[in-house]
Amino acid sequence: MIIWLQGPSGAGKTTVGRALATRLNLPFLDLDEEIEAIEGRTIVDIFSEEGEEAFRAMEWNVLLASMESDSSSESNPSSRVISLGGGSLEDPSIRELARTTGVRLFLDCDADVALARLEHDTPRPLLFEEDPTAAWRRLYRRRGHHYREADLVVDAGEEPAVIVDVIVDQLGSLEGPRWSMEVSIDGGETRIRGFRSVWVALGALADSLVG
């Protein structure tokens, strides 16, 4: 089972992900760091030189390579912790990959917490906006519904050690899928499984239809 960490820039996905992987004795992949290592340049440079669309393609290619190098079966990939970029979930292929291969954790925080962290972190493209706070909030509004599709939501405003404790405690209740059902698609039978309560999932679906 893959543990996917998703959320906005500054939520602490890298720090928490690395600490969580250490606690659980699992491999850790930070998507942004992996891209920078492969490309030999920073995320800011990639955005500046090639644009966001090219960067999103790099994200998918890195994740795909990670899955293809996995020696386990496609339906049951090796356990690990993967930290996604703040905008990764705008790619529907990445959303589907995360949904079908593990548990998605949404590290949620507000703009003040995020920007305070980012000031002391590796520069991110949004920090070069005229108003970084407004830019962060705009991106959060645009991506928020993807973040909230997660199986678990964790308050990322706490210290990393506290966040990891909360995650480990909550993961204990998700040792297996919470629900599954047989459905017919194009005349064939397939099984859909999920880690969230089916009632929560249906509620999220209803909210999206109303919205």
Side-chain angles (χ1 to χ4, degrees):
M1 178 181 72
I2 299 176
I3 300 172
W4 298 89
L5 300 186
Q6 57 195 52
S9 294
K13 298 183 296 296
T14 300
T15 302
V16 171
R18 187 170 284 114
L20 179 62
T22 298
R23 172 79 72 86
L24 299 177
N25 195 28
L26 293 175
F28 174 63
L29 173 68
D30 181 273
L31 188 53
D32 284 350
E33 289 183 349
E34 186 71 8
I35 291 173
E36 289 183 330
I38 292 172
E39 290 292 317
R41 48 187 172 152
T42 67
I43 303 299
V44 170
D45 287 338
I46 295 171
F47 266 71
S48 175
E49 296 166 7
E50 299 193 42
E52 183 174 358
E53 185 175 350
F55 177 72
R56 299 301 169 205
M58 293 176 191
E59 288 185 310
W60 172 246
N61 289 336
V62 168
L63 286 175
L64 190 61
S66 174
M67 294 297 158
E68 290 177 343
S69 65
D70 191 344
S71 59
S72 58
S73 68
E74 182 179 347
S75 61
N76 187 28
S78 298
S79 295
R80 72 194 96 160
V81 178
I82 297 180
S83 170
L84 294 171
S88 299
L89 295 181
E90 293 196 80
D91 183 336
S93 297
I94 294 179
R95 293 200 302 273
E96 180 66 9
L97 181 65
R99 186 186 68 81
T100 57
T101 58
V103 174
R104 299 160 297 172
L105 306 182
F106 171 22
L107 301 188
D108 196 11
C109 67
D110 61 31
D112 292 337
V113 169
L115 271 296
R117 289 172 176 165
L118 290 173
E119 286 179 0
H120 305 288
D121 198 2
T122 303
R124 297 295 170 185
L126 73 84
L127 292 180
F128 294 91
E129 297 278 350
E130 183 175 349
D131 187 341
T133 300
W136 188 96
R137 288 174 173 154
R138 183 178 66 252
L139 291 173
Y140 186 95
R141 287 193 299 269
R142 191 174 85 194
R143 301 164 176 170
H145 63 292
H146 295 316
Y147 297 151
R148 287 187 288 273
E149 291 175 350
D151 304 296
L152 294 172
V153 179
V154 179
D155 179 4
E158 303 289 344
E159 291 298 313
V162 175
I163 298 172
V164 170
D165 285 341
V166 171
I167 291 174
V168 170
D169 181 62
Q170 293 194 27
L171 284 176
S173 66
L174 296 178
E175 293 178 351
R178 287 185 175 182
W179 59 270
S180 63
M181 64 179 70
E182 294 285 349
V183 297
S184 177
I185 300 177
D186 293 333
E189 294 294 325
T190 188
R191 177 170 291 275
I192 296 177
R193 62 177 186 161
F195 288 88
R196 284 195 297 179
S197 163
V198 68
W199 304 115
V200 174
L202 291 174
L205 175 61
D207 289 343
S208 67
L209 293 175
V210 172

